[in-house]
Amino acid sequence: MSTVLDDSIAIAARRRLDTLTKPHGALGRLEELAIQVCILQKTLAPRITRPTALVFAADHGIAKAGVSAYPRAVTTQMVRNYLAGGAAINVLARELAFELSVVDAGVDADLAPHPRLINAKIRRGTRDFRMQSAMNSAECEECLAAGASLVTRLAISGSNTVLLGDMGIGNTAASALLMHCLTGRPLDACIGRGTGLDDAGLARKLAALEMARARCNLPRVPHAMLVEYGGYEIAMLTGAALGAVTHRMLILVDGFAVTVAVALAARLDPAVIEHCVFSHRSAEQGHRALLNDLGAQPLLDLGLRLGEGSGAALALPLLRAAIALYADMATFEGAGVSQRSA
């Protein structure tokens, strides 16, 4: 719920936007984005400082059920690619000038130390949730605390904007089950082709998730959902979103897995949504439905299905543009431009 201060900031920010040399509302969503940042930062002089992408990576026991078009080893291979600077998110980080760290939340490999790597490994992958809980309660708590702690470190370093990304073969399967628990939507409406499953692969994925769902009563609270069906990276993302609220940080939300984590965090603290910029609507069926359930209007719809924070990165220039336009455009009075006739 908006406070009196938030309402006054929103009114003042809107008033400034309406004095700029443009028709009222002509910048569309960019105007709403600028107002959102003003409210979040509690200032009429908003700014983005040290935007940083955190890509959380982990393996999933469910991957052995063939729920992805790629083998489980790709998680490790892609993490090494991030560290070598060769992935899409690395290119975007260089091109768009933001910092990037990769978080090993539970990769099934021993990764050598690297300046870009944060070792927060809980275990070398979750358990196969067709047969047993993906993680135990202590592991879940450790993930939530680790995610929040990493964002706290960013805030202390001067960052006020975090881009959240994910990597983990099998994590769209985990995300689909978590979405099913969160929304009550039919399971087949929550799953998609992930990294590119064919029809047989999609049927195999659904069968594996139905088996997992039948194993236990459907959990109703976020902690239990993560214990039964989560991934270590999804649980850390949930903690990161909660940590961002504590420090009034802006969250650039990537695709399906990150949106599921944000939805879990919002169950624990509804203020999470006010901190979020939903960067894009992915090609994943469940992501599109979940965004609708959250009442979220993503900035972009490019058919992306890459993950690793790529959609969040592509939204960053729009965020920067919204703030620059709000701050730097001339007013009608200052530019000597006539306003619209009454």
Side-chain angles (χ1 to χ4, degrees):
M1 183 179 295
S2 295
T3 66
V4 173
L5 177 59
D6 289 345
D7 289 341
S8 66
I9 288 174
I11 291 167
R14 173 66 68 192
R15 186 180 299 119
R16 170 167 173 77
L17 285 163
D18 288 345
T19 68
L20 302 181
T21 49
K22 61 174 182 60
H24 286 192
L27 290 173
R29 293 284 307 283
L30 295 180
E31 297 192 21
E32 300 306 318
L33 189 54
I35 293 170
Q36 179 186 357
V37 180
C38 286
I39 293 171
L40 178 61
Q41 296 184 355
K42 294 189 180 296
T43 180
L44 294 175
R47 60 196 184 108
I48 301 301
T49 59
R50 290 194 65 180
T52 302
L54 293 178
V55 179
F56 291 82
D59 277 298
H60 294 255
I62 191 62
K64 68 181 66 173
V67 296
S68 172
Y70 290 85
R72 175 169 166 155
V74 168
T75 302
T76 299
Q77 292 164 0
M78 281 305 300
V79 168
R80 289 178 172 146
N81 191 24
Y82 302 147
L83 300 179
I89 191 62
N90 300 101
V91 174
L92 292 170
R94 291 191 293 268
E95 184 70 19
L96 302 176
F98 59 86
E99 298 178 35
L100 169 65
S101 291
V102 181
V103 182
D104 176 4
V107 177
D108 187 14
D110 294 322
L111 299 168
H114 189 281
R116 198 177 288 125
L117 179 66
I118 298 171
N119 183 3
K121 193 191 299 287
I122 302 297
R123 186 175 179 271
R124 292 177 61 144
T126 53
R127 300 157 185 87
D128 184 346
F129 56 55
R130 292 175 300 169
M131 315 299 179
Q132 59 183 313
S133 300
M135 64 185 80
N136 61 43
S137 182
E139 291 169 347
C140 182
E141 290 293 344
E142 188 175 351
C143 284
L144 293 170
S149 176
L150 289 173
V151 171
T152 295
R153 284 164 53 182
L154 288 185
I156 292 171
S157 75
S159 174
N160 68 4
T161 303
V162 61
L163 295 73
L164 294 181
D166 68 277
M167 175 60 208
I169 296 300
N171 74 4
T172 62
S175 297
L177 258 179
L178 291 167
M179 176 184 167
H180 175 60
C181 295
L182 281 164
T183 68
R185 283 180 177 268
L187 189 52
D188 61 1
C190 299
I191 71 165
R193 297 182 184 273
T195 49
L197 286 172
D198 58 16
D199 289 345
L202 190 62
R204 187 167 57 247
K205 185 175 183 178
L206 178 59
L209 297 191
E210 287 177 335
M211 181 178 178
R213 180 179 59 180
R215 178 181 55 77
C216 63
N217 293 328
L218 208 63
R220 298 297 181 188
V221 297
H223 187 279
M225 293 175 194
L226 286 166
V227 165
E228 293 301 336
Y229 303 130
Y232 295 131
E233 83 279 36
I234 298 173
M236 282 195 195
L237 283 161
T238 302
L242 293 168
V245 173
T246 299
H247 298 286
R248 300 196 66 81
M249 295 178 73
L250 193 65
I251 305 167
L252 286 178
V253 180
D254 193 38
F256 187 33
V258 178
T259 304
V260 166
V262 162
L264 288 162
R267 282 287 183 91
L268 297 168
D269 183 353
V272 165
I273 299 300
E274 300 168 16
H275 291 247
C276 290
V277 173
F278 291 89
S279 63
H280 76 115
R281 180 183 290 110
S282 79
E284 192 74 1
Q285 172 185 236
H287 189 218
R288 292 171 175 256
L290 183 56
L291 288 169
N292 287 337
D293 288 347
L294 292 172
Q297 295 185 341
L299 292 176
L300 301 168
D301 191 346
L302 301 174
L304 301 176
R305 53 183 179 87
L306 177 60
E308 68 187 46
S310 54
L314 290 169
L316 180 60
L318 292 177
L319 174 63
R320 286 171 165 156
I323 293 173
L325 289 164
Y326 166 87
D328 297 339
M329 276 184 71
T331 63
F332 282 102
E333 181 179 4
V337 176
S338 298
Q339 297 196 50
R340 176 179 174 176
S341 300

